[in-house]
Amino acid sequence: MNETKYIVPSATLSESPEKFELKFVVPGIGKGDADLHIEGKTLTLKTHAKHVAPEGFKVAAEEFDRVNYAMSVEIPEMADSASLTAKIENGILTVVMKKRPETQPKKIEIL
């Protein structure tokens, strides 16, 4: 039986006053090879690496090791999961979530 194996990608979570940004390092993965979903307060990434031969060619020999990644992270309580956007570029998957308006800092005017 050929079981798919996954490794955990490197990841970084950054925060600004308005949003959270989560970056996953997933070299060799394109946007069609990654699944991202939310269940409750958990964000899950799972990739499915595949090799596609260039048009007009077929694979005669291969030494590339295609790696599949999987990772689940808890979404910060202040994040608005409905605002989530994701973009993959140069092997970096960037996920951005705005903070819920009621959790963002605001200045109170003193009268």
Side-chain angles (χ1 to χ4, degrees), residues 42-64:
T42 303
L43 176 68
T44 301
L45 166 67
K46 200 175 239 189
T47 69
H48 313 282
K50 60 184 179 276
H51 177 75
V52 178
E55 188 175 327
F57 290 85
K58 66 178 184 175
V59 177
E62 184 174 52
E63 293 184 12
F64 285 103

Side-chain angles (χ1 to χ4, degrees), residues 13-108:
L13 176 64
S14 303
E15 178 181 6
S16 76
E18 299 85 28
K19 64 185 176 183
F20 292 99
E21 185 176 85
L22 181 61
K23 290 188 178 197
F24 298 96
V25 179
V26 289
I29 300 297
K31 69 179 180 179
D33 303 327
D35 293 323
L36 197 59
H37 71 273
I38 297 175
E39 186 173 328
K41 281 293 192 180
T42 303
L43 176 68
T44 301
L45 166 67
K46 200 175 239 189
T47 69
H48 313 282
K50 60 184 179 276
H51 177 75
V52 178
E55 188 175 327
F57 290 85
K58 66 178 184 175
V59 177
E62 184 174 52
E63 293 184 12
F64 285 103
D65 185 20
R66 292 182 296 279
V67 175
N68 291 296
Y69 300 95
M71 183 178 197
S72 291
V73 294
E74 188 172 332
I75 296 171
E77 194 63 38
M78 296 181 346
D80 176 9
S81 60
S83 72
L84 189 140
T85 60
K87 178 181 172 183
I88 194 162
E89 189 172 62
N90 298 325
I92 305 290
L93 173 64
T94 303
V95 176
V96 177
M97 293 169 281
K98 293 179 182 176
K99 289 185 178 178
R100 295 191 328 260
E102 67 272 17
T103 66
Q104 293 186 16
K106 56 187 161 194
K107 183 173 178 157
I108 310 298

